Amino acid sequence: MYEKHLSSQFDSELNRVSSNVLELGGLVEMQIRQAIYALSEFSIEVADQVEKDEQRVNALELEIDRELSNIIARRQPTAIDLRLLLAISKTTANLERVGDEAAKIARMVKRIIDSGKARMLPTGELRHAADLAAQQLRRALDAFARLSADDAVSIIRDDDQVDREFDGFVRTLITYMMEDPRTISAALDLLTLAKAIERIGDHATNIAEFIIYIVKGADVRHGTMEELEMLSR
């Protein structure tokens, strides 16, 4: 995923830390899918497992941080190597936050189930948004593995799909609350859950921006789509 160095040990260290980032990504992706399964099947047991997995996510994040600190201290990298390590650090932080959002979804699922109002709410409508967010994260991880600026631009371009799903779901929830005030409390929990899904899509977009930073050396966080398209050429 990067150019070979004169030091094979340095290459080995970069490979190891990159592999750990992808492992972390796989963990949080599994958390997302389990959290949505818990909502779909009204499963408190699966929601509990999502929360337990947060400890594994946090432990792996700390391990990656230690590895990055050691590499920087020993190698004193410059240019693209330094960009790579900084972007890995930011990517790791975003993946850990995705894990936080998945755990938040699990907590909301348990509250909604405990309320007894779960089957009165449009929980099924969240599945598509959650699938989109999970797909965005998977695409971001694949682009990270290959350091593909083209794929990263495509992910950023598609970011508004998750946002549109969120906006549509909010309108649906408002209708439910107006028609049956008994659902207001559980619907507000479901709104928090929907916002967590939207944030997962945002974190996937952040990772795509870090990939462009690694490959092109450009900070595109506030760039226009036209500027992004030019970078991918």
Side-chain angles (χ1 to χ4, degrees):
M1 59 181 292
Y2 46 78
E3 294 182 2
K4 291 291 184 181
H5 300 88
L6 293 177
S7 168
S8 60
Q9 182 62 32
F10 192 13
D11 285 330
S12 177
E13 291 169 354
L14 290 175
N15 275 322
R16 184 169 60 251
V17 74
S18 297
S19 295
N20 282 343
V21 171
L22 294 175
E23 180 183 351
L24 176 60
L27 280 174
V28 299
E29 185 182 1
M30 180 180 66
Q31 278 186 296
I32 297 168
R33 297 194 182 282
Q34 286 185 325
I36 299 306
Y37 177 86
L39 178 65
S40 301
E41 302 298 323
F42 307 113
S43 172
I44 289 179
E45 292 79 10
V46 175
D48 283 337
Q49 185 59 52
V50 174
E51 289 192 274
K52 290 177 183 176
D53 287 342
E54 189 175 14
Q55 296 178 0
R56 294 172 60 200
V57 169
N58 292 340
L60 188 50
E61 183 207 12
L62 289 175
E63 181 180 342
I64 293 170
D65 281 345
R66 284 193 297 269
E67 289 178 342
L68 289 173
S69 297
N70 290 336
I71 292 173
I72 291 172
R74 285 197 304 268
R75 305 297 179 184
Q76 298 182 351
T78 59
I80 190 171
D81 291 328
L82 183 58
R83 292 205 306 269
L84 173 63
L85 294 173
L86 291 175
I88 285 176
S89 177
K90 292 180 180 180
T91 296
T92 301
N94 272 265
L95 289 173
E96 190 274 334
R97 288 174 194 142
V98 170
D100 288 343
E101 298 296 347
K104 183 189 298 181
I105 292 171
R107 289 192 291 273
M108 290 300 102
V109 166
K110 291 196 291 187
R111 284 182 54 168
I112 292 167
I113 294 173
D114 288 342
S115 75
K117 303 292 193 303
R119 299 184 187 279
M120 300 171 64
L121 292 168
T123 54
E125 295 187 22
L126 273 181
R127 294 178 200 169
H128 184 55
D131 283 342
L132 279 176
Q135 288 169 15
Q136 286 286 82
L137 182 63
R138 166 48 49 193
R139 291 171 62 196
L141 292 169
D142 288 344
F144 174 83
R146 293 179 290 106
L147 287 185
S148 172
D150 290 347
D151 289 347
V153 169
S154 178
I155 291 164
I156 296 170
R157 187 191 302 123
D158 295 341
D159 177 55
D160 61 351
Q161 292 182 13
V162 178
D163 295 337
R164 287 197 299 270
E165 289 289 331
F166 174 75
D167 292 341
F169 186 72
V170 169
R171 290 192 293 270
T172 299
L173 271 186
I174 290 172
T175 300
Y176 268 77
M177 289 186 286
M178 291 176 63
E179 292 179 351
D180 188 350
R182 294 174 300 169
T183 65
I184 289 176
S185 178
L188 290 176
D189 284 339
L190 204 58
L191 180 61
T192 300
L193 191 157
K195 185 63 179 176
I197 291 172
E198 184 194 35
R199 289 294 297 142
I200 290 169
D202 291 340
H203 288 305
T205 299
N206 290 345
I207 293 170
E209 291 171 347
F210 301 147
I211 293 165
I212 295 173
Y213 175 67
I214 295 169
V215 177
K216 302 290 186 178
D219 186 343
V220 297
R221 286 174 295 177
H222 305 294
T224 64
M225 228 25 253
E226 290 77 10
E227 291 169 335
L228 285 170
E229 297 289 356
M230 290 181 64
L231 283 172
S232 67
R233 292 172 188 167

